[in-house]
Amino acid sequence: SAVISQKPSRDICQRGTSLTIQCQVDSQVTMMFWYRQQPGQSLTLIATANQGSEATYESGFVIDKFPISRPNLTFSTLTVSNLSPEDSSIYLCSARDRGRVGYTFGSGTRLTVV
Amino acid sequence: QQPVQSPQAVILREGEDAVINCSSSKALYSVHWYRQKHGEAPVFLMILLKGGEQKGHEKISASFNEKKQQSSLYLTASQLSYSGTYFCGTDPFGNEKLTFGTGTRLTIIP
């Protein structure tokens, strides 16, 4: 299955700043997904990123706060902007190989906003 | 709407069987099952497609009741390595977007 390299693995950021998270897939994938997971909670889909088009955001998530880049079929970035303590969470990217049935996840980015 | 899983948590002795349920308020195209260990990413276990097709592992199986919009995951002769939190992921429209369930924490003790 696809291998996804996600970085950084963790970061501590000041209020008002931004953090950009990168995900690199070792094969070409059509769609990539970005999730947020509070510790001990389920995963919540933030947006879907297709190459060559704007990302599609889920209810409660907006492009100004979570801009996404998808420059090619193996790479995507999620930026969390204007950070507040409420943004402290784990962020994960995900993708599915062509021909595969399940999704692979990146190792996650643990963000702490102080 | 987020699928509801039951039980929320369960503790079993090694070798016992477990059943985890996932109930959705929407008609489903497919149901995925994932296991997440503490501090790690979720790992794919199983997918069930509308129409009854099933894929997965040997000692882990699942059922999908389309009419009831429910799925169940069966873990047979549980091993210590089965410990973790299990999530179902539902796709109502076949557009590959998953909504994850509330989660079930499974603890296997020797």
Side-chain angles (χ1 to χ4, degrees), chain A residues 3-96:
Chain A
V3 175
I4 302 179
S5 300
Q6 183 173 344
K7 59 181 182 182
S9 59
R10 59 177 62 227
D11 206 341
I12 300 173
C13 299
Q14 297 288 328
R15 267 179 220 234
T17 63
S18 299
L19 176 70
T20 295
I21 303 167
Q22 299 181 2
C23 278
Q24 177 76 51
V25 189
D26 68 348
S27 60
Q28 293 185 337
V29 294
T30 305
M31 289 195 282
M32 292 183 70
F33 303 90
W34 288 95
Y35 290 89
R36 183 170 70 184
Q37 185 177 32
Q38 302 283 4
Q41 303 296 315
S42 184
L43 294 87
T44 301
L45 181 63
I46 297 171
T48 304
N50 290 324
Q51 192 267 334
S53 63
E54 283 201 6
T56 305
Y57 290 83
E58 299 302 304
S59 176
F61 298 96
V62 294
I63 187 171
D64 290 346
K65 177 68 174 176
F66 299 98
I68 287 173
S69 167
R70 184 82 201 274
N72 57 52
L73 291 174
T74 64
F75 188 79
S76 181
T77 67
L78 169 74
T79 299
V80 189
S81 304
N82 190 24
L83 290 168
S84 66
E86 291 72 35
D87 295 320
S88 296
S89 190
I90 298 168
Y91 294 84
L92 299 117
C93 60
S94 175
R96 180 161 73 178

Side-chain angles (χ1 to χ4, degrees), chain B:
Chain B
Q1 197 118 16
Q2 184 177 36
V4 177
Q5 291 182 229
S6 63
Q8 287 186 334
V10 59
I11 300 174
L12 296 175
R13 292 201 176 274
E14 202 172 1
E16 292 182 334
D17 299 340
V19 180
I20 299 172
N21 302 301
C22 173
S23 182
S24 173
S25 60
K26 296 181 179 179
L28 299 174
Y29 177 82
S30 69
V31 179
H32 293 225
W33 284 96
Y34 291 80
R35 176 171 60 215
Q36 185 177 31
K37 294 186 178 286
H38 183 70
E40 299 181 8
V43 173
F44 171 73
L45 296 175
M46 172 98 42
I47 183 171
L48 299 104
L49 301 174
K50 188 176 180 180
E53 188 177 357
Q54 175 178 328
K55 299 182 182 180
H57 303 255
E58 274 187 14
K59 290 189 176 180
I60 301 175
S61 61
S63 63
F64 181 15
N65 187 323
E66 295 166 33
K67 286 186 179 178
K68 291 186 176 180
Q69 298 160 190
Q70 293 176 344
S71 178
S72 295
L73 184 72
Y74 305 95
L75 304 163
T76 305
S78 57
Q79 307 168 11
L80 294 175
S81 62
Y82 286 6
S83 291
T85 301
Y86 289 76
F87 293 102
C88 63
T90 58
D91 176 5
F93 306 113
N95 62 4
E96 303 196 30
K97 291 185 185 181
L98 295 183
T99 301
F100 283 88
T102 50
T104 296
R105 178 175 290 185
L106 176 65
T107 304
I108 309 295
I109 57 176

